[in-house]
Amino acid sequence: MPPKLDINKAGWEQSEFPILCETCLGDNPFIRMSKQEFGRSCGTCARPFTVFRWNPGSGMRFKTTVICQTCAKIKNVCQTCLLDLEYGLPTQVRDTALGFVNEAPTSDINREYYAQNMEGKLEGNKSGLDSGKAQSAGKEMLKQLARTDPYYKRNRPKICSFFAKGECTRGSECPYRHEKPVENELSHQNIQDRYHGRNDPVAKKIIGAHAESQGLKPPEDQSITSLFLTSLSPDSTELSIRAQVLKLLPTVQPAELKSVVHVVKSRCAFINFKERDVCERAAEAWANGLEIDGERVAVKWGRSRASKPPTPVTSSVAVAS
């Protein structure tokens, strides 16, 4: 019985070729792939899907698909490395720059149902992302960060665990790399966080470095939780600024925005947040500026209030007559 006619396999995915980025595909024009229908469950929606396995080039490790094609189309990512197909960046970087909100459910109960519903809407090569309405400042930021050339170094063999213990006896014949592993936050990643764009250490490093290069390095004073906007439109109001700020920061709740102080004469505004980490996320997202009421607005960190100088104490001296 064909899988689609079997009620137990109705939601399973079959495909003829994977959705891959140029780096994962490799530079070998005569690549050979093995195909296994329903070889494993998707790393995000847990549905069985067709698994592909191949060697991208000489001296490289074998690679395999880890998520199904439906999940890859929803986020427009590679089925293997989970990086954006257009810019070659983590999804958290792309979503932060474009102000996208993650609509995919993360619970085990709803994610398979959501994937099945999206499968019918994403027939062919259609992507689930619509970046046409995204602001130009976010697209400019992604163009600056995009990796235009393939990075084949990412396909190198993994580190030999026996060499790390000092027990590998295969020498040059060992197919794994003989290097000491580096233990840092970049070595602790998982599929769910990378796919949904949350708590991704690689993305945080990229966004933080770009914000610093644009002059938005977080000040050392942790009490500063405000951003300064300049070159506002003459038509801007406190309400329009607040609405656009919340729209461009979909992960920020309205209650996390403390206040918006609009100075009409100077065409500037102060965006005050309740928490420092929320303010830092906003600064990283607006590293290339933001658009409010049709104008490109520049962003700077606020300054701490200077402490008032102590008033001198004058002591009166009684003079005896």
Side-chain angles (χ1 to χ4, degrees), residues 185-200:
E185 61 176 2
L186 300 181
S187 59
H188 298 284
Q189 302 180 61
N190 61 75
I191 293 178
Q192 292 287 338
D193 287 348
R194 290 189 64 185
Y195 178 80
H196 292 289
R198 62 190 182 196
N199 301 324
D200 187 349

Side-chain angles (χ1 to χ4, degrees), residues 166-241:
E167 301 175 358
C168 184
T169 59
R170 289 193 274 186
S172 59
E173 296 181 357
C174 182
Y176 300 97
R177 283 160 40 211
H178 280 190
E179 299 176 7
K180 290 294 183 180
V182 179
E183 190 70 20
N184 54 29
E185 61 176 2
L186 300 181
S187 59
H188 298 284
Q189 302 180 61
N190 61 75
I191 293 178
Q192 292 287 338
D193 287 348
R194 290 189 64 185
Y195 178 80
H196 292 289
R198 62 190 182 196
N199 301 324
D200 187 349
V202 177
K204 290 180 179 180
K205 182 179 179 181
I206 294 174
I207 296 175
H210 179 70
E212 288 189 17
S213 67
Q214 299 296 320
L216 283 173
K217 182 179 180 180
E220 296 182 359
D221 188 354
Q222 294 293 320
S223 65
I224 300 176
T225 59
S226 62
L227 296 177
F228 181 56
L229 308 184
T230 59
S231 305
L232 287 167
S233 170
D235 301 328
S236 295
T237 62
E238 180 179 335
L239 185 61
S240 66
I241 296 172

Side-chain angles (χ1 to χ4, degrees), residues 147-161:
R147 185 183 292 275
T148 56
D149 298 324
Y151 185 63
Y152 296 126
K153 188 178 180 181
R154 205 171 64 219
N155 299 333
R156 293 182 303 166
K158 295 184 178 181
I159 294 177
C160 178
S161 59

Side-chain angles (χ1 to χ4, degrees), residues 51-195:
V51 177
F52 296 88
R53 189 173 183 268
W54 70 99
N55 191 323
S58 177
M60 303 297 179
R61 73 176 187 273
F62 275 86
K63 309 203 77 173
T64 183
T65 51
V66 295
I67 64 173
C68 66
Q69 288 200 2
T70 301
C71 291
K73 291 177 182 178
I74 291 173
K75 300 285 282 187
N76 194 38
V77 296
C78 172
Q79 280 188 265
T80 298
C81 65
L82 306 185
L83 296 180
D84 181 77
L85 292 173
E86 183 176 357
Y87 300 103
L89 297 169
T91 58
Q92 185 172 342
V93 176
R94 180 201 62 198
D95 294 350
T96 300
L98 299 180
F100 285 158
V101 60
N102 179 31
E103 297 179 352
T106 57
S107 64
D108 296 338
I109 300 175
N110 296 326
R111 60 185 182 181
E112 184 174 349
Y113 174 76
Y114 176 81
Q116 290 183 14
N117 288 343
M118 292 297 295
E119 185 175 10
K121 301 178 182 179
L122 302 175
E123 295 181 356
N125 296 324
K126 186 178 179 181
S127 171
L129 292 178
D130 182 15
S131 59
K133 298 181 180 179
Q135 61 169 350
S136 59
K139 293 181 179 179
E140 180 182 323
M141 173 180 171
L142 292 179
K143 288 180 181 179
Q144 294 177 359
L145 296 175
R147 185 183 292 275
T148 56
D149 298 324
Y151 185 63
Y152 296 126
K153 188 178 180 181
R154 205 171 64 219
N155 299 333
R156 293 182 303 166
K158 295 184 178 181
I159 294 177
C160 178
S161 59
F162 288 95
F163 177 80
K165 300 175 184 178
E167 301 175 358
C168 184
T169 59
R170 289 193 274 186
S172 59
E173 296 181 357
C174 182
Y176 300 97
R177 283 160 40 211
H178 280 190
E179 299 176 7
K180 290 294 183 180
V182 179
E183 190 70 20
N184 54 29
E185 61 176 2
L186 300 181
S187 59
H188 298 284
Q189 302 180 61
N190 61 75
I191 293 178
Q192 292 287 338
D193 287 348
R194 290 189 64 185
Y195 178 80

